[in-house]
Amino acid sequence: MNALLATLGGKLTERWVNLLVLPGALFLAVAAVGSRLGHRHWHDLGRLRTALDELAARPALDRTGTAALLVALVLLTAAAAALGAQFLAGAIERYWLRPGRDPLSRALTARRRRRWTERDTRLEEAVAQAVPAGAAADGALTVPASAWARIQALTEARDRVAPHAPVRPCWYGDRMQAAADRVEAAYGVDLAALWPRLWLILPEPAVRQIQASRDSFGAAARLAAWAVGYALLACWWWPAAPVAVVCAAVARGRAREALGALAELVEAAVDVHGRELAARVGLTSPDTAGPLDPGTGDRMSEIFRKAG
C-alpha cells in the first residue's frame, strides 16, 4: 500500500508540475522581464542584470525563511496563473464548439458558408472540366494527373473551411456536426442521444484512444489560452507578441488535428459497437451480424430520448 501511495503521489506531483508550475513559471518570468524592460528597453540585457543584482543584494533574501517564502509565493502564483489559463481554455473550447445562435455567431457562420460555397463552386467547375475530357466510351473515367491534382487541391481548400456547408461559427463545431450527420445518415440514430450509452460499453482500448484525442484537444485549448496571456503581455513588452502568434498558430493546428481524430474515432465507435448497444437494449439479437440498420437506429433514438 505504501508503494502504491508513493507511486500515485509521484504521478500527481509530476502532473502538477507539468500542467501548472512550468507553464505558469514561464509566463511569470516573461511578465517580470517585460514589466522591467518595457517597449523602450526591450532588448537591454544590462538593465535586466542590474535588476537581478539589486534583488539578490537585498538582505532579506539571505534569510532561509524569507527565501523559502519567496519560492512558495512564486510557485503559488505560477499555479494560479496556470489555473486561470485552464479556466480560459474551457471557455475557448466552448467558443470553438458553440452552436452559434447569437447574432455574431450567425454572421460568422454566414461568412464561412459564403467562403465554402465559393470554393465548392470552383471544385464543381474543375470536376466538370475534367470529366468530359477524360470520359471513356464504356463509362470508365480517366482523369488527367494535372486535373486530378487540381481537384484534390480545391477539395482540401474547401475542407479547410468546413467538411460540409457550414452550420456553426467555427470549423471545430462543423467537424463534430459532420460526424453526427454522417452517423444519422448511415444508421438513422441521433449521435447526441446515443453517445453517453455507447461510451458505457466501449472496451478499454477504444476508451483510451478517444480520451487521448480529447485530452489533445484540451491541451490545444490551453495553449490558445496561453497565447491570449502572452498577447496581453505584449501591451507592455512587444517581444511577447511573436510568442503569442506562435502559440496561437500551434494551438490551431493541434486542435484541428485532435478534433479530426476525435470525430473519426467517434464514428468508428458507432460503426463497430452500435449493433452491440442495440442488442444490449433488446432491439436486436446478439447473434445478428452486419452493421446497424436505420430502422433500429431510429428506434434507439426514440428510446434514448425518452420519447416512448
Side-chain angles (χ1 to χ4, degrees):
M1 180 61 70
N2 291 336
L4 176 61
L5 293 176
T7 302
L8 292 177
K11 290 183 178 179
L12 289 175
T13 301
E14 181 181 357
R15 185 175 179 83
W16 181 74
V17 171
N18 291 335
L19 292 181
L20 296 180
V21 176
L22 291 181
L26 180 60
F27 181 77
L28 289 182
V30 174
V33 171
S35 62
R36 181 63 181 178
L37 298 182
H39 293 307
R40 178 176 297 181
H41 306 282
W42 65 272
H43 64 298
D44 192 349
L45 296 181
R47 187 183 181 92
L48 184 61
R49 283 194 297 268
T50 301
L52 292 175
D53 292 340
E54 291 176 356
L55 180 64
R58 293 185 178 182
L61 293 180
D62 293 334
R63 302 173 185 175
T64 304
T66 303
L69 288 176
L70 181 61
V71 171
L73 179 62
V74 170
L75 292 177
L76 289 176
T77 307
L83 289 175
Q86 289 188 352
F87 177 80
L88 180 58
I92 290 174
E93 287 187 32
R94 291 190 294 273
Y95 175 81
W96 282 344
L97 298 171
R98 71 193 190 280
R101 299 185 180 94
D102 58 280
L104 177 59
S105 296
R106 288 197 294 268
L108 291 174
T109 302
R111 176 178 176 272
R112 296 182 64 247
R113 189 179 295 116
R114 286 193 298 270
R115 291 176 58 204
W116 187 91
T117 302
E118 292 173 358
R119 299 187 181 190
D120 186 62
T121 301
R122 288 198 293 267
L123 174 60
E124 291 179 353
E125 292 174 352
V127 172
Q129 292 174 2
V131 169
D138 59 355
L141 186 64
T142 303
V143 179
S146 58
W148 180 248
R150 185 168 182 268
I151 290 173
Q152 286 184 315
L154 291 173
T155 302
E156 292 175 359
R158 184 198 62 182
D159 292 347
R160 281 196 295 269
V161 177
H164 58 52
V167 294
R168 298 201 175 197
C170 296
W171 180 91
Y172 311 97
D174 275 327
R175 183 64 186 88
M176 294 305 297
Q177 185 63 48
D181 292 343
R182 286 164 57 88
V183 167
E184 185 172 8
Y187 306 119
V189 66
D190 181 4
L191 182 60
L194 175 78
W195 184 250
R197 287 85 179 174
L198 185 63
W199 180 257
L200 296 176
I201 67 169
L202 289 179
E204 186 177 352
V207 170
R208 284 201 303 267
Q209 291 188 42
I210 293 173
Q211 191 62 53
S213 296
R214 179 63 183 84
D215 291 343
S216 297
F217 183 65
R222 287 195 298 272
L223 186 58
W226 285 116
V228 174
Y230 285 111
L232 293 176
L233 289 182
C235 298
W236 289 271
W237 191 52
W238 72 261
V243 178
V245 171
V246 171
C247 288
V250 173
R252 180 178 181 271
R254 289 181 177 178
R256 284 201 169 208
E257 181 180 356
L259 197 72
L262 178 61
E264 292 289 344
L265 288 171
V266 168
E267 284 192 51
V270 178
D271 294 338
V272 175
H273 299 284
R275 180 169 289 280
E276 178 184 353
L277 179 61
R280 291 285 189 97
V281 297
L283 295 179
T284 61
S285 170
D287 300 329
T288 303
L292 186 67
D293 62 272
T296 303
D298 287 336
R299 182 58 182 155
M300 290 173 69
S301 297
E302 293 177 2
I303 293 175
F304 296 154
R305 291 171 183 160
K306 307 297 189 293

